[in-house]
Amino acid sequence: MDQSLIDLQQVAMAMFSYMTTDISRVEMRRVHTIEAEGEDMLSLLFHFLDEFLFLFSVEPFIICRVVKIVEFDKENFRIKAEGYGETFDISKHPQGTEVKAITYSNMQVHQESEQNDIFVIIDI
């Protein structure tokens, strides 16, 4: 698998790990598919994370333990991903920090080397 896909998956899972202090308690009961597109890699990353944040922000408040990218078009900046998780339940999932929004502030995607680096600052 392309390293950039692994990195994008990890960024989304890191966001969910921030929302609960014990992501291992999230069971992979359901699969939720998101699609996002952008004008460049930064806007694609923004919309990708924003789609997953939307899943968590509206009922039934889905939290994902694992994110897998199933389609990625680097030339047209489109992505389709699946999030595996369940409905957030405060009695089961220790509450972490609320993520209010994804931001472009200092967002960076470095793809020059073998190891990609992605930096995202979220609004809490």
Side-chain angles (χ1 to χ4, degrees):
M1 178 179 277
D2 185 335
Q3 183 63 42
S4 60
L5 296 180
I6 294 169
D7 293 339
L8 287 170
Q9 291 171 165
Q10 290 176 343
V11 168
M13 291 186 296
M15 180 181 71
F16 284 115
S17 292
Y18 201 67
M19 296 173 179
T20 180
T21 58
D22 189 358
I23 197 74
S24 68
R25 297 182 73 180
V26 175
E27 294 180 47
M28 296 185 287
R29 294 179 177 218
R30 296 186 188 159
V31 178
H32 299 274
T33 303
I34 64 101
E35 294 185 36
E37 57 184 71
E39 298 173 11
D40 54 24
M41 278 304 293
L42 291 182
S43 64
L44 179 60
L45 175 59
F46 176 90
H47 292 293
F48 169 70
L49 291 174
D50 197 47
E51 286 295 320
F52 277 114
L53 181 57
F54 180 76
L55 275 181
F56 185 79
S57 300
V58 297
E59 287 190 52
F61 311 113
I62 301 302
I63 187 162
C64 299
R65 180 176 177 175
V66 172
V67 172
K68 292 186 180 179
I69 296 173
V70 293
E71 294 176 23
F72 186 43
D73 182 346
K74 282 185 181 181
E75 292 180 19
N76 296 302
F77 305 108
R78 293 186 185 145
I79 196 166
K80 183 176 183 180
E82 296 174 340
Y84 298 82
E86 65 180 327
T87 302
F88 183 81
D89 179 351
I90 193 69
S91 66
K92 179 180 180 183
H93 308 112
Q95 188 170 4
T97 303
E98 178 185 1
V99 176
K100 294 181 182 175
I102 309 303
T103 71
Y104 278 105
S105 175
N106 205 24
M107 182 183 284
Q108 301 172 39
V109 176
H110 301 279
Q111 299 175 301
E112 301 84 36
S113 64
E114 249 180 61
Q115 183 176 349
N116 299 313
D117 291 314
I118 299 175
F119 298 95
V120 178
I121 296 175
I122 53 177
D123 185 9
I124 55 172

